[in-house]
Amino acid sequence: MYRNRLFHIIKSACRVNKQTVAKIRNITPVTIGFLTAVKCDRKRPEFDVSLDVDTLEHDYLIRQATTVNVNAATQLLTVTLVAIQDTSERLRDALTKEICLVKQALEWGEDGTPPHHWDQLVAVRGSLCDLRHNLHTLLSYMDYAEKLATVAAEISYLSGNIAASDAICERIDHACRSCNTQKQLNHELQQESLELQQQAIINSPHLEDKIKHDANQKTNKGRS
């Protein structure tokens, strides 16, 4: 009887031990994982994520200002370039008309050329003088506009606004190439006009004097 009671006590103890071990097995993985996570969080390095709001605001405002500056410089380049192209085209038209008039005068001769033909030639030369002066002024504007645009590109690059800097650099290059093209076209036609005038002076020595005389008369009449 004593032996049976002892057997039941041992059996009950084993059953309780198995239930406790099962509970520990169910709970332990979660507890260990939680402790490991806590331990990892404690070892995680701390970074200083504080931001200097004033610095960010200043940098942003500077980049915005450089963008406005780039847009203004680009607009100045565009307007000046269009004016140069338009004036150059008008100058070449006047040069072409002058060449035609001089050729006709050489063909007809000094005595056979009608008076209104000389008047047209004098008027064309007066227009050429004004156009050359305007074109010279516009080319001076372009020099200053190019310098201004170059400064805007440099400031944009230093402020970190690389896209705006690259864009205006391309615009500067385009404007310079376009101006050089216009200068070359004007120079070629002006050279042709000068060669024709030299030929006219050689063939008709009094032709140039007559043109200048008529021009002086028109100038004096305009002043009076």
Side-chain angles (χ1 to χ4, degrees):
M1 184 177 196
Y2 175 77
R3 187 174 57 184
N4 291 335
R5 290 183 63 186
L6 181 61
F7 177 76
H8 286 297
I9 291 172
I10 294 173
K11 187 176 180 181
S12 298
C14 290
R15 186 180 300 140
V16 171
N17 188 25
K18 288 181 180 180
Q19 293 176 354
T20 304
V21 171
K23 290 182 180 180
I24 291 175
R25 288 179 179 176
N26 292 331
I27 298 173
T28 299
V30 178
T31 307
I32 293 176
F34 175 74
L35 293 176
T36 304
V38 172
K39 187 176 183 181
C40 291
D41 289 339
R42 289 179 180 177
K43 288 186 177 181
R44 183 177 299 172
E46 296 181 358
F47 297 98
D48 186 9
V49 294
S50 60
L51 300 177
D52 190 351
V53 179
D54 293 335
T55 302
L56 292 178
E57 289 180 353
H58 292 321
D59 291 343
Y60 175 77
L61 292 176
I62 290 174
R63 283 194 295 271
Q64 289 295 106
T66 56
T67 301
V68 173
N69 196 16
V70 165
N71 292 336
T74 302
Q75 183 179 6
L76 180 60
L77 283 174
T78 302
V79 172
T80 308
L81 179 59
V82 170
I84 289 174
Q85 291 175 339
D86 180 65
T87 306
S88 296
E89 290 177 359
R90 293 167 59 192
L91 176 64
R92 290 194 294 270
D93 291 339
L95 284 171
T96 303
K97 188 174 182 180
E98 181 194 34
I99 291 172
C100 293
L101 291 173
V102 173
K103 285 182 178 180
Q104 289 176 352
L106 287 174
E107 182 181 354
W108 294 336
E110 183 177 350
D111 297 332
T113 303
H116 71 272
H117 189 85
W118 303 115
D119 295 339
Q120 290 179 0
L121 188 55
V122 170
V124 168
R125 287 196 168 182
S127 177
L128 280 172
C129 183
D130 294 338
L131 289 170
R132 288 192 181 100
H133 174 74
N134 294 339
L135 184 60
H136 179 74
T137 303
L138 290 172
L139 290 174
S140 300
Y141 288 166
M142 178 57 73
D143 291 337
Y144 287 106
E146 181 183 351
K147 293 177 182 178
L148 179 62
T150 302
V151 173
E154 293 175 353
I155 295 177
S156 298
Y157 182 82
L158 293 175
S159 67
N161 198 352
I162 308 299
S165 178
D166 293 341
I168 195 170
C169 285
E170 293 178 0
R171 188 58 185 169
I172 293 171
D173 182 67
H174 171 72
C176 291
R177 285 188 284 105
S178 298
C179 282
N180 291 333
T181 300
Q182 296 298 322
K183 289 179 182 178
Q184 183 64 28
L185 294 174
N186 296 339
H187 176 73
E188 292 175 356
L189 205 56
Q190 286 176 350
Q191 194 67 25
E192 181 181 353
S193 176
L194 289 175
E195 292 176 358
L196 185 61
Q197 290 179 39
Q198 290 176 358
Q199 181 182 353
I201 292 172
I202 293 173
N203 296 337
S204 302
H206 302 291
L207 180 60
E208 188 70 18
D209 294 336
K210 182 176 179 58
I211 295 174
K212 289 182 178 179
H213 177 71
D214 292 341
N216 292 331
Q217 284 185 343
K218 283 207 165 190
T219 301
N220 294 331
K221 287 181 180 179
R223 290 178 179 176
S224 61

